[in-house]
Amino acid sequence: MRLALFDLDGTLVDRRSAFTDAITQLSHDHGYGPEIERWLIAELADRADRSDFERLRHTFQLNESADHLWRVYVDRMAAAMHCRPAVLDSLARLKTAGWNIGVATNGSSDIQRAKIRATGLADLIDGIAASGDIDVRKPDPRLFELAAARCGTQLTPGDWMTGDNPETDIAGGYNAGLRTIWVDGRPWPAGLVAPHHTVGDVTDAIDYLLTHSAE
């Protein structure tokens, strides 16, 4: 079976829109004012884990525990997260065609898995590797290797990595021996190895895998 690995945030799902909704809801639920809400949006914009809520408690002298706030954040993010039907349909076609499908994602294990369960992706994915599993982040090749192992296989030269981040997904996948598809949407850094293929949407990447992957 061929292996197709995908990034999660910014590739299979839109974290940015869900993030704003989750922070607004968390702040409303706890009666936090605009100062705390602005802090959360600024500090958690790129990624979040439990330690961020320890910093929040100390910064604003809050009574709620970091564990409680982290769990609420995870729940609110999962509730706000959606995966477009077109993406789910494309992954289903890839699976029907006999591909192993894995996710290699940076982020805490609990929140990334909560997103996958909440969006319906769990039924289509054979294995998930989150950086929180082994405290290793993309572009480290070990995270891609773990994703393959979670899919019941190992990386081979004909396998693929699709993602939106040039450094972590494309350069990381290349260094792990994978062919790469870049979901365009941010500036491409000078001097970075070019992807094997570039698309505007992850559904286009899946179409490419289904029609050109043997080339």
Side-chain angles (χ1 to χ4, degrees):
M1 295 181 72
R2 305 293 296 278
L3 175 65
L5 298 180
F6 294 88
D7 171 52
L8 183 61
D9 297 318
T11 301
L12 294 177
V13 298
D14 181 2
R15 178 187 183 270
R16 284 179 292 182
S17 60
F19 169 72
T20 302
D21 291 343
I23 294 300
T24 298
Q25 190 62 53
L26 183 151
S27 300
H28 177 269
D29 291 346
H30 292 81
Y32 296 156
E35 184 179 8
I36 292 180
E37 186 169 345
R38 286 193 297 269
W39 188 97
L40 287 166
I41 289 173
E43 296 295 321
L44 278 60
D46 293 326
R47 59 182 177 179
D49 61 32
R50 182 190 173 283
S51 65
D52 293 313
F53 291 92
E54 286 284 9
R55 294 192 297 114
L56 175 69
R57 290 186 70 247
H58 291 306
T59 300
F60 293 100
Q61 300 297 304
L62 303 179
N63 294 323
E64 295 86 0
S65 70
D67 285 336
H68 165 77
L69 292 169
W70 171 245
R71 177 48 51 195
V72 170
Y73 175 74
V74 169
D75 291 344
R76 297 294 178 270
M77 278 293 286
M81 191 70 66
H82 300 284
C83 183
R84 290 179 291 129
V87 176
L88 296 173
D89 290 345
S90 293
L91 288 172
R93 288 194 295 118
L94 193 63
K95 196 171 186 67
T96 299
W99 286 72
N100 267 332
I101 301 173
V103 167
T105 175
N106 286 341
S108 297
S109 301
D110 47 0
I111 193 167
Q112 299 304 77
R113 285 176 168 77
K115 294 174 188 175
I116 287 170
R117 289 192 301 269
T119 54
L121 286 166
D123 295 332
L124 299 168
I125 291 170
D126 299 297
I128 306 159
S131 61
D133 295 342
I134 53 174
D135 198 25
V136 166
R137 297 179 59 82
K138 294 180 296 183
D140 193 311
R142 288 175 291 176
L143 196 65
F144 301 97
E145 293 166 358
L146 178 62
R150 294 274 170 84
C151 292
T153 186
Q154 57 186 6
L155 299 181
T156 66
D159 295 333
W160 291 81
M161 174 65 195
T162 298
D164 69 308
N165 188 298
E167 291 94 345
T168 60
D169 297 324
I170 305 308
Y174 177 85
N175 291 332
L178 297 166
R179 298 181 183 184
T180 58
I181 301 177
W182 179 43
V183 181
D184 191 359
R186 62 177 78 190
W188 187 265
L192 203 65
V193 61
H196 290 83
H197 188 60
T198 299
V199 295
D201 188 88
V202 69
T203 57
D204 298 326
I206 296 171
D207 287 342
Y208 184 85
L209 291 177
L210 288 168
T211 56
H212 297 90
S213 60
E215 295 178 358

